[in-house]
Amino acid sequence: MAEILDLIDLNELRHQVREKYRDVAADPTGTQHPHHFHTGRSHAIRLGYPAYPLSELPDEACEAFAGVGNPFYWGGPKPGERVVDLGSGAGMDSLLAALWVGDEGHVIGIDMTPEMLDRSRSMATKLGLKHLEFREGLIEELPVEDGWADVVISNGVINLCPDKMGVYRQIFRVLKPGGRMTIADICLERPVPADALRDIELWTG
């Protein structure tokens, strides 16, 4: 992992990722800034999201969703559980988790893009989900206390982070003993050449 981090300009990578998802927050359908990925409720349905509680969310809560899979494939969190969403983006997965856990539970979404945080916080307020909060931060340095979470979820975010072992160490740190994680992401089966690792366009595009 140290070798990968030596090859990457981490600050520039994070800057480019923020720029890309800033565009998604401002223009979810890609009318002004075309995206290389699908977004929105129809995309979530294609990925196999359950009709409930997805049907409880307004279109505005789903339009900037840009996940790569369904972290709830094995079922949603249980009532009363505590959930951390890594790279929560516009907040759709966090909103769904909040509906599953109910008022007795709690959900924390973590994201590094201010515009996405603005969207997600606004929607949580509109839906009256007082047990849902969004914090600005990096998934390699989670602003969550040790042993807090019953469940950690993430959707299409860890692939954007060169220090994947660092992310998983953070997941282990914030999970309670016996806690679980449900991750949807992009995986490669072969090593990536050094020249490709250096190319930030390949990381973000």
Side-chain angles (χ1 to χ4, degrees), residues 81-85 94 97-98 101 105-109 131-133 148:
E81 288 192 317
R82 292 176 170 182
V83 181
V84 176
D85 182 5
S94 293
V101 303
H106 198 92
V107 179
I108 299 174
H131 58 293
L132 169 59
E133 62 175 296
W148 183 86

Side-chain angles (χ1 to χ4, degrees), residues 48-113:
Y49 274 71
Y52 180 86
L54 185 62
S55 60
E56 298 297 300
L57 298 182
D59 287 342
E60 184 184 358
C62 305
E63 62 182 358
F65 167 72
V68 301
N70 175 13
F72 305 118
Y73 178 82
W74 299 109
K78 299 177 178 64
E81 288 192 317
R82 292 176 170 182
V83 181
V84 176
D85 182 5
L86 307 190
S88 50
M92 192 188 84
D93 286 339
S94 293
L95 293 164
L96 293 172
L99 293 174
W100 262 305
V101 303
D103 292 342
E104 298 302 312
H106 198 92
V107 179
I108 299 174
I110 309 295
D111 206 85
M112 68 174 187
T113 303

Side-chain angles (χ1 to χ4, degrees), residues 11-198:
N11 289 330
E12 180 61 20
L13 174 59
R14 288 172 177 164
H15 171 72
Q16 292 297 331
V17 171
R18 285 190 184 98
E19 287 295 305
K20 186 170 292 291
Y21 288 95
R22 181 178 292 123
D23 289 345
V24 176
D27 179 24
T29 61
T31 303
Q32 301 297 323
H33 304 93
H35 314 312
H36 68 274
F37 42 75
H38 297 289
T39 58
R41 184 190 300 275
S42 61
H43 176 50
I45 292 171
R46 281 195 299 270
L47 293 174
Y49 274 71
Y52 180 86
L54 185 62
S55 60
E56 298 297 300
L57 298 182
D59 287 342
E60 184 184 358
C62 305
E63 62 182 358
F65 167 72
V68 301
N70 175 13
F72 305 118
Y73 178 82
W74 299 109
K78 299 177 178 64
E81 288 192 317
R82 292 176 170 182
V83 181
V84 176
D85 182 5
L86 307 190
S88 50
M92 192 188 84
D93 286 339
S94 293
L95 293 164
L96 293 172
L99 293 174
W100 262 305
V101 303
D103 292 342
E104 298 302 312
H106 198 92
V107 179
I108 299 174
I110 309 295
D111 206 85
M112 68 174 187
T113 303
E115 290 79 3
M116 282 295 195
L117 289 164
D118 289 344
R119 283 189 68 104
S120 56
R121 287 167 175 160
S122 174
M123 186 53 58
T125 299
K126 287 180 181 179
L127 296 178
L129 298 173
K130 296 180 180 179
H131 58 293
L132 169 59
E133 62 175 296
F134 293 93
R135 300 178 183 177
E136 185 170 358
L138 302 171
I139 63 173
E140 309 97 309
E141 303 170 11
L142 290 173
V144 179
E145 65 191 80
D146 295 357
W148 183 86
D150 297 291
V151 187
V152 171
I153 62 173
S154 186
N155 193 345
V157 176
I158 298 175
N159 75 89
L160 297 171
C161 178
D163 186 10
K164 292 172 176 54
M165 289 305 298
V167 174
Y168 283 104
R169 281 192 289 269
Q170 286 290 296
I171 292 173
F172 181 79
R173 179 183 67 78
V174 303
L175 278 173
K176 296 177 181 179
R180 62 197 187 278
M181 64 179 182
T182 56
I183 308 295
D185 219 314
I186 299 168
C187 299
L188 297 177
E189 296 181 344
R190 292 183 293 179
V192 179
D195 286 347
L197 288 171
R198 292 189 187 96

